[in-house]
Amino acid sequence: MMKNENIPGISEYPSWKALVLPDKQVIDPFLKKFPPGISDLTFTNLFCHQVARGYMISAHKKHLLFRFGNKQPNFLYQPVGPHPKEVILELLHQHPEYKFILVNGELGKLLATAAKVTFDRGMSDYICKLQDLQQFNGEKYQEKRNFVRRFLSYGPKIVPLNESHRNECKALLKIWKAGKDPLPHLDDEQLAAEVMLNNLQSLNVHGIGIIIDGRVEGFAIGEPINREYFVEHFEKGNTQFMGIYPYILHEFAKSIPTKFTFLN
């Protein structure tokens, strides 16, 4: 039987606490030791969406629990720890109203014998080989190669993203949002990107900026999620410049250390 053991700084279930930046010191080692295999379940992603989603955290039997606190308080991510299946089944027995979302495929198969599991293709991770994105070789990438060649006519410069680019990136977010239909999730995405830009150093993320005529016209930010996988959290560009998105993806992939194999 699993026993409760205190995790420093984290409330013991059934108590919950709001996610804050200092929790990174506890959560990151847990995610590294027990990788959930979900690109959304990183401290960076949780922290940047905290304002919009109100994430709450708790500790239960050597596992970390993550719950949506604002609009969907009965929604949880899969527990992070050595025995997530047992913890999910226990919590579902206690709280039938709970729904665990973005459960990785392997865990979902294990749960299917004891709980209702629904596959949602729209919430699946989209994974590419980094080498493919770095090279854009073959017929599959011909269109992207053409866009990249066209974009080079603007004379772009690639720079490591840092705090000095923050305000220009935020201005670019406003341009990006203005070109979209007004939907609530766009407000959340803009806010999350601004939180990340405000905390680039504290979150220890990796980013590039695309400079044209001395201004940031595109950027991408991501981080490792395990030894093989890198996740791109945000990719934004000024579509006034044709081909900017294939170019950002291509250059971001090239900027990732060679020890990584896949990009989500």
Side-chain angles (χ1 to χ4, degrees), residues 112-126:
T113 59
K116 181 181 178 181
V117 177
T118 303
F119 175 65
D120 186 343
R121 185 173 297 277
M123 299 183 78
S124 298
D125 284 338
Y126 185 70

Side-chain angles (χ1 to χ4, degrees), residues 101-151:
I101 66 169
L102 297 180
V103 173
N104 73 51
E106 182 179 345
L107 178 57
K109 291 177 182 178
L110 293 173
L111 286 164
T113 59
K116 181 181 178 181
V117 177
T118 303
F119 175 65
D120 186 343
R121 185 173 297 277
M123 299 183 78
S124 298
D125 284 338
Y126 185 70
I127 297 170
C128 298
K129 289 184 178 179
L130 260 176
Q131 188 177 48
D132 291 346
L133 301 179
Q134 292 163 349
Q135 298 176 355
F136 276 176
N137 288 334
E139 184 177 350
K140 177 181 177 181
Y141 292 102
Q142 181 176 346
E143 185 177 14
K144 289 190 183 331
R145 288 198 305 273
N146 292 339
F147 275 122
V148 167
R149 281 196 289 267
R150 190 176 304 177
F151 185 79

Side-chain angles (χ1 to χ4, degrees), residues 13-188:
Y13 182 81
S15 296
W16 297 83
K17 70 177 286 292
L19 183 81
V20 293
L21 186 57
D23 294 327
K24 178 177 173 63
Q25 299 176 10
V26 176
I27 292 174
D28 274 352
F30 240 82
L31 292 172
K32 184 176 182 180
K33 186 175 181 180
F34 304 106
I38 304 170
S39 62
D40 279 26
L41 195 42
T42 70
F43 178 83
T44 296
N45 187 66
L46 294 168
F47 178 73
C48 291
H49 288 90
Q50 166 66 3
V51 175
R53 299 177 184 171
Y55 287 122
M56 308 292 287
I57 59 175
S58 183
H60 184 55
K61 296 182 177 178
K62 302 180 183 179
H63 291 70
L64 286 175
L65 307 179
F66 301 92
R67 178 169 67 86
F68 289 61
N70 286 351
K71 303 171 185 177
Q72 299 170 307
N74 292 325
F75 280 54
L76 295 87
Y77 286 120
Q78 72 177 57
V80 176
H83 304 289
K85 174 188 173 183
E86 287 78 0
V87 172
I88 287 176
L89 293 177
E90 176 193 344
L91 293 178
L92 286 176
H93 179 73
Q94 297 173 357
H95 298 278
E97 71 277 13
Y98 278 1
K99 296 182 183 299
F100 290 87
I101 66 169
L102 297 180
V103 173
N104 73 51
E106 182 179 345
L107 178 57
K109 291 177 182 178
L110 293 173
L111 286 164
T113 59
K116 181 181 178 181
V117 177
T118 303
F119 175 65
D120 186 343
R121 185 173 297 277
M123 299 183 78
S124 298
D125 284 338
Y126 185 70
I127 297 170
C128 298
K129 289 184 178 179
L130 260 176
Q131 188 177 48
D132 291 346
L133 301 179
Q134 292 163 349
Q135 298 176 355
F136 276 176
N137 288 334
E139 184 177 350
K140 177 181 177 181
Y141 292 102
Q142 181 176 346
E143 185 177 14
K144 289 190 183 331
R145 288 198 305 273
N146 292 339
F147 275 122
V148 167
R149 281 196 289 267
R150 190 176 304 177
F151 185 79
L152 289 172
S153 66
Y154 299 115
K157 178 182 177 183
I158 302 98
V159 298
L161 202 66
N162 59 47
E163 285 77 3
S164 68
H165 305 116
R166 179 185 300 137
N167 291 337
E168 287 188 54
C169 288
K170 288 183 178 181
L172 180 60
L173 285 171
K174 293 180 180 179
I175 295 173
W176 161 79
K177 185 182 169 187
K180 304 283 186 180
D181 292 332
L183 297 171
H185 79 272
L186 296 179
D187 293 332
D188 296 348

Side-chain angles (χ1 to χ4, degrees), residues 200-220:
L200 290 174
Q201 188 170 357
S202 298
L203 293 172
N204 193 29
V205 290
H206 169 79
I208 62 166
I210 309 299
I211 310 295
I212 300 175
D213 294 332
R215 292 184 56 84
V216 176
E217 300 292 357
F219 68 89

